[in-house]
């Protein structure tokens, strides 16, 4: 059945863990990957309604929020409170007079107090609902993605074509300006569903805690490439040393290949995901930028 790139039906916990907490079908069948027109994706109104588009805000004061994690046994979730500092940059969406968290975009350092040490898995879904007056809308930071959660999955198109079996590393660019690295560490869990009276399996592709989370000290954009600068050498991420001292010693070149693909993935609305391909140095990546339904 033909898939249409239009309004996403349901985001919930899944949207906060795009590219990490998965429910991929246990099948060796290819996910029917198809390239789509870059110009169509950027300019077609119907497609944009289904996009995971980001708008960024700066918090005016300390803000109470929660982190929701999936239980690894018994089903359900665990929710714990955290506090976001004044000045934190978040991706959010307007809902009437309210502003709500959009996807899972903050750094591990901010959300770790809301993550239990045992019995949970996934990235941790950020949730808050505040008055519009509690935050200031800002121009999208140079490091921040226009679409998606900022999670870049290694393997590029090859990884999408081998969706059920590919073991990928993940690089996160967070809304509050951190570069994070998660090595591949797939774990699969079996949970009982009382509504269907049956078990189902689900997987996470990496550990909840990143190997490294480092501050992006500067970001510049040139054409399709965003250069991310750090003081500390990134672990597992291709980088170039450009200075021997100071805050801008290492450069990570994140290039948008401007070739989106649509493919079948039952983690997303109507089993359809839309991804854009990227590269960091010579390594290929992809990031999910939208979903669809019939």
């Amino acid at each position: 059945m033909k898939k249409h790139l239009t309004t996403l039906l349901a985001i919930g916990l899944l949207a906060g863990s795009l590219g990490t907490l998965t429910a991929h079908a246990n099948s060796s069948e290819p996910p029917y990957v198809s390239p789509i027109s870059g110009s169509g994706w950027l300019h077609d109104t119907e497609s944009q309604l289904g996009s995971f588009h980001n708008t960024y805000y700066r918090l005016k004061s300390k803000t109470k929020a929660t982190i929701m994690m999936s239980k690894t046994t018994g089903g359900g979730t665990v929710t714990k409170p955290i506090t976001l500092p004044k000045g934190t940059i978040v991706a959010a969406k307007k809902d009437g007079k309210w502003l709500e968290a959009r996807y899972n975009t903050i750094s591990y350092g901010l959300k770790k107090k809301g993550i239990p040490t045992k019995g949970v898995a996934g990235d941790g879904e950020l949730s808050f609902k505040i008055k519009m007056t509690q935050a200031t809308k800002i121009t999208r930071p140079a490091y921040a993605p226009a679409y998606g959660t900022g999670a870049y999955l290694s393997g590029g198109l090859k990884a999408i074509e081998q969706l059920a079996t590919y073991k990928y590393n993940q690089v996160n660019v967070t809304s509050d300006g951190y570069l994070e690295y998660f090595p591949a560490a797939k774990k699969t869990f079996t949970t009982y569903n009382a509504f269907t009276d049956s078990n189902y399996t689900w997987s996470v592709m990496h550990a909840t805690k990143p190997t490294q989370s480092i501050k992006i000290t500067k970001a510049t954009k040139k054409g399709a490439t965003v250069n991310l600068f750090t003081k500390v050498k990134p672990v597992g991420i291709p980088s170039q040393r450009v200075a021997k001292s100071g805050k801008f010693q290492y450069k990570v070149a994140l290039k948008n290949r401007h070739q989106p693909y649509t493919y079948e993935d039952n983690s997303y609305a109507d089993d359809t995901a839309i991804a854009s391909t990227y590269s960091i140095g010579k390594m290929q990546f992809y990031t999910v930028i939208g979903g669809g339904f019939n």
Side-chain angles (χ1 to χ4, degrees):
M1 183 175 294
K2 183 178 180 181
K3 305 291 183 178
H4 297 284
L5 312 183
T6 180
T7 309
L8 190 63
L9 288 178
I11 297 178
L13 176 62
L14 176 62
S17 303
L18 296 179
T20 302
L21 176 59
T22 68
H24 301 317
N26 294 321
S27 171
S28 59
E29 293 295 322
Y32 304 104
V33 181
S34 299
I36 58 179
S37 168
S39 60
W41 169 257
L42 290 172
H43 303 297
D44 180 78
T45 301
E46 190 174 73
S47 296
Q48 283 299 290
L49 289 173
S51 71
F52 299 159
H53 185 264
N54 291 320
T55 305
Y56 291 91
Y57 295 82
R58 189 187 305 275
L59 300 178
K60 293 182 179 180
S61 59
K62 290 182 179 180
T63 299
K64 293 182 179 180
T66 60
I67 296 294
M68 184 166 61
M69 300 288 294
S70 294
K71 293 181 180 179
T72 56
T73 59
T77 59
V78 174
T79 302
K80 288 197 171 186
I82 63 169
T83 299
L84 300 177
K86 176 183 177 180
T88 299
I89 295 175
V90 294
K93 61 179 179 179
K94 184 180 178 181
D95 183 15
K97 297 181 179 180
W98 300 95
L99 193 65
E100 298 182 347
R102 179 76 162 171
Y103 310 135
N104 174 41
T105 63
I106 62 168
S107 61
Y108 177 79
L110 290 184
K111 64 187 177 186
K112 65 181 180 180
K113 289 184 178 180
I115 299 177
T117 57
K118 295 181 180 179
V120 295
D123 275 357
E125 167 75 355
L126 173 68
S127 177
F128 62 77
K129 186 174 182 179
I130 60 177
K131 294 180 180 179
M132 290 292 299
T133 54
Q134 292 176 258
T136 302
K137 185 178 179 181
I138 63 172
T139 301
R140 177 169 59 90
Y143 60 77
Y147 298 93
T149 65
Y152 299 89
L153 316 180
S154 65
L157 179 58
K158 181 180 179 181
I160 299 173
E161 292 172 338
Q162 300 175 15
L163 193 63
T165 58
Y166 198 90
K167 294 182 180 180
Y168 57 76
N169 305 315
Q170 180 167 310
V171 174
N172 282 3
V173 177
T174 71
S175 65
D176 55 320
Y178 280 77
L179 187 64
E180 301 181 331
Y181 176 72
F182 300 81
K186 183 177 179 179
K187 292 184 179 180
T188 300
F189 305 95
T190 300
T191 302
Y192 175 71
N193 187 333
F195 293 102
T196 62
D197 191 27
S198 61
N199 291 330
Y200 66 93
T201 60
W202 56 280
S203 299
V204 292
M205 307 308 287
H206 60 69
T208 297
K209 183 179 179 180
T211 298
Q212 187 185 50
S213 180
I214 55 177
K215 184 67 177 177
I216 298 170
T217 54
K218 183 174 70 171
T220 61
K221 191 173 186 298
K222 184 177 181 180
T225 300
V226 175
N227 293 311
L228 308 174
F229 293 85
T230 64
K231 182 179 180 180
V232 178
K233 180 177 174 60
V235 172
I237 305 171
S239 64
Q240 177 186 1
R241 189 161 194 176
V242 294
K244 293 184 178 180
S245 63
K247 297 189 296 183
F248 316 122
Q249 295 185 45
Y250 297 90
K251 181 178 74 173
V252 174
L254 179 64
K255 184 175 182 179
N256 189 343
R257 310 304 299 187
H258 289 301
Q259 178 53 73
Y261 292 85
T262 181
Y263 59 98
E264 292 193 2
D265 184 344
N266 59 14
S267 295
Y268 299 92
D270 199 47
D271 302 344
T272 301
I274 301 94
S276 187
T277 51
Y278 279 74
S279 62
I280 302 177
K282 295 182 179 180
M283 292 183 63
Q284 302 301 307
F285 289 80
Y286 77 93
T287 187
V288 181
I289 59 174
F293 74 94
N294 289 329

